[in-house]
Amino acid sequence: MNISEKLINSINNLPTLPTLYNVITEAIEDPYSTNTKLANIILTDQSTTMKVLKVANSPLYGFHGKIDSISDAILYIGRNEIKNIVLTLSIISSFSKRINLKGFRPIDLWAHSIAVGVISRNIAQALGEKKLENYFLAGILHDIGKIIFLEYAVEEYKKVFELAKKKEIIINDAEKQILGINHEEIGQLLAKKWRIPETIQNVILYHSKGSILKTPDFLVSIVHLSNIIAHILELGYSGYDIIQQPSPIIWDTLKIKKGMITSLKDKIINDYTNTVKLIIL
Amino acid sequence: MNRNISIDDLKCGMIIEQPIKNQYGNVIIDRGTIIEEKHFRVLKIWGIKNLIVKEPDTNNSLKNEEDVELKNLLNKKIKWIPTNEFEEELISLTMDTIKKSSIHEY
């Protein structure tokens, strides 16, 4: 069995998502289930309840400490967003955080992912997007494939970084050469196994390209740009220092105004600092 | 504070405070000019011995060296040329981050 088969196999052995998330998803999909019923499901898990309340009150959502119950959180933030917060918390806690790859730790990668989530949500909001629930989650999950490599092929992954640095090639190409599969492909396989919505699967698979096989996609473009901005602002660490040039397609897709990113900078850094503290520290 | 210095003490990066004129009264180097290597030749040709520069001169020449250092750090991170105003904005944001972290290091 070669390394890429071994890695794909490892996905089948990965734990399924916690039952809590599946029960919540079912409850949300059931049009007759009330917010009270949903709140009661979350309340069965004490640590999730606490964390959901903290995240709901973080500056990211703008309620500034006014939410003091899960049912309020559902009311103000919305069912789907709450479901996504539970999913985020479940995924982060389902991976161990012990591995240290010469200064590249999963915790730094999670910090990078949180940054991309925070930036994506902020940009989408600034662009007038109404349905904001998927942006944070998409950012959090975009590099999930790298987490799998760190967990299941840490020695080989070390070689990936050495090769990328030595030959000055992008991580995706180095991954292909050494592991036979890149982090976008393996991440999408995991997301599929976890039945994460296809819109998010597309982000995982195409975030480095900025579009779905040249077809414009707003969410994919935002995460593509946010990933670059997280590197620019040095929020978290994803394994390399070089800042990539954005794919030209995103400017037409997003129609960003000049100076918008600069004006969001302070809020982004503030939201990031708060959210990282809440979720991983 | 301005300082009257001899041409021998002039260094790159110093800023000219009073316009430098030749013997015919024509301005050869204007006020606010940052001294570069090429200016030494001009000053020599016109036989300028003294000039007035802006204080603090040592900081100015130091700043110039820092700028080169920062530019090198930027070039290590960004290996592409901006094609529109948004990419220029991204580059200037990168420079801000580099400046911020270099302050912490000094």
Side-chain angles (χ1 to χ4, degrees), chain A residues 70-83:
Chain A
I70 290 290
S71 49
D72 272 2
I74 297 168
L75 189 64
Y76 291 127
I77 292 180
R79 293 170 158 222
N80 283 319
E81 185 96 50
I82 292 293
K83 179 189 81 174

Side-chain angles (χ1 to χ4, degrees), chain A:
Chain A
M1 189 161 49
N2 68 28
I3 178 80
S4 70
E5 284 167 350
K6 201 180 111 197
L7 280 163
I8 292 167
N9 242 344
S10 72
I11 287 187
N12 298 323
N13 302 328
L14 263 179
T16 48
L17 281 178
T19 354
L20 180 67
Y21 172 71
N22 292 321
V23 179
I24 290 173
T25 310
E26 265 172 45
I28 285 177
E29 280 162 7
D30 173 7
Y32 298 107
S33 82
T34 59
N35 283 352
T36 317
K37 188 186 167 194
L38 200 59
N40 285 334
I41 296 168
I42 296 172
L43 285 165
T44 58
D45 184 315
Q46 207 180 351
S47 91
T48 304
T49 300
M50 289 306 295
K51 282 202 164 176
V52 167
L53 281 178
K54 280 189 188 168
V55 173
N57 280 303
S58 76
L60 192 61
Y61 297 100
F63 292 104
H64 307 291
K66 283 179 213 141
I67 296 173
D68 53 14
S69 70
I70 290 290
S71 49
D72 272 2
I74 297 168
L75 189 64
Y76 291 127
I77 292 180
R79 293 170 158 222
N80 283 319
E81 185 96 50
I82 292 293
K83 179 189 81 174
N84 286 348
I85 294 173
V86 173
L87 177 59
T88 302
L89 297 169
S90 314
I91 290 172
I92 293 180
S93 64
S94 71
F95 285 103
S96 65
K97 301 180 181 85
R98 65 199 143 73
I99 310 132
N100 186 347
L101 205 162
K102 245 190 186 171
F104 182 33
R105 305 168 303 166
I107 195 164
D108 299 318
L109 186 58
W110 282 122
H112 163 74
S113 303
I114 289 169
V116 176
V118 164
I119 299 167
S120 298
R121 197 173 196 281
N122 269 294
I123 292 181
Q125 197 168 26
L127 289 172
E129 177 74 13
K130 295 282 178 296
K131 219 170 147 253
L132 286 167
E133 59 203 37
N134 280 334
Y135 291 88
F136 184 58
L137 181 65
I140 294 276
L141 292 183
H142 80 284
D143 264 350
I144 191 84
K146 287 188 183 172
I147 294 282
I148 301 172
F149 290 151
L150 281 176
E151 289 264 336
Y152 293 94
V154 69
E155 281 308 313
E156 289 87 348
Y157 212 32
K158 224 185 261 176
K159 288 181 200 142
V160 168
F161 286 108
E162 285 160 7
L163 183 74
K165 211 170 179 178
K166 202 176 129 203
K167 292 200 173 169
E168 290 196 355
I169 54 174
I170 59 167
I171 294 284
N172 277 23
D173 292 345
E175 286 168 346
K176 269 290 212 213
Q177 280 186 38
I178 288 177
L179 305 166
I181 183 166
N182 68 35
H183 70 274
E184 294 183 315
E185 294 162 342
I186 201 156
Q188 193 251 346
L189 289 176
L190 177 64
K192 207 171 168 185
K193 191 206 167 192
W194 278 349
R195 290 193 213 152
I196 285 167
E198 213 178 318
T199 45
I200 309 254
Q201 286 186 34
N202 284 333
V203 169
I204 297 172
L205 191 55
Y206 299 111
H207 66 261
S208 71
K209 308 276 184 303
S211 62
I212 302 171
L213 308 169
K214 307 275 176 212
T215 307
D217 183 281
F218 200 75
L219 186 61
V220 170
S221 283
I222 285 209
V223 174
H224 174 83
L225 178 63
S226 302
N227 190 15
I228 293 168
I229 296 172
H231 281 99
I232 288 176
L233 300 177
E234 295 179 0
L235 306 176
Y237 185 61
S238 80
Y240 61 94
D241 298 312
I242 289 172
I243 294 161
Q244 255 137 40
Q245 184 165 24
S247 163
I249 195 172
I250 67 159
W251 306 116
D252 265 349
T253 311
L254 300 179
K255 296 188 173 57
I256 281 186
K257 289 197 175 61
K258 195 190 168 199
M260 198 193 90
I261 299 163
T262 311
S263 68
L264 287 172
K265 185 182 152 185
D266 289 346
K267 185 173 186 297
I268 285 171
I269 293 174
N270 185 37
D271 285 358
Y272 163 78
T273 316
N274 277 291
T275 315
V276 162
K277 265 189 232 156
L278 289 176
I279 297 187
I280 54 175
L281 298 181

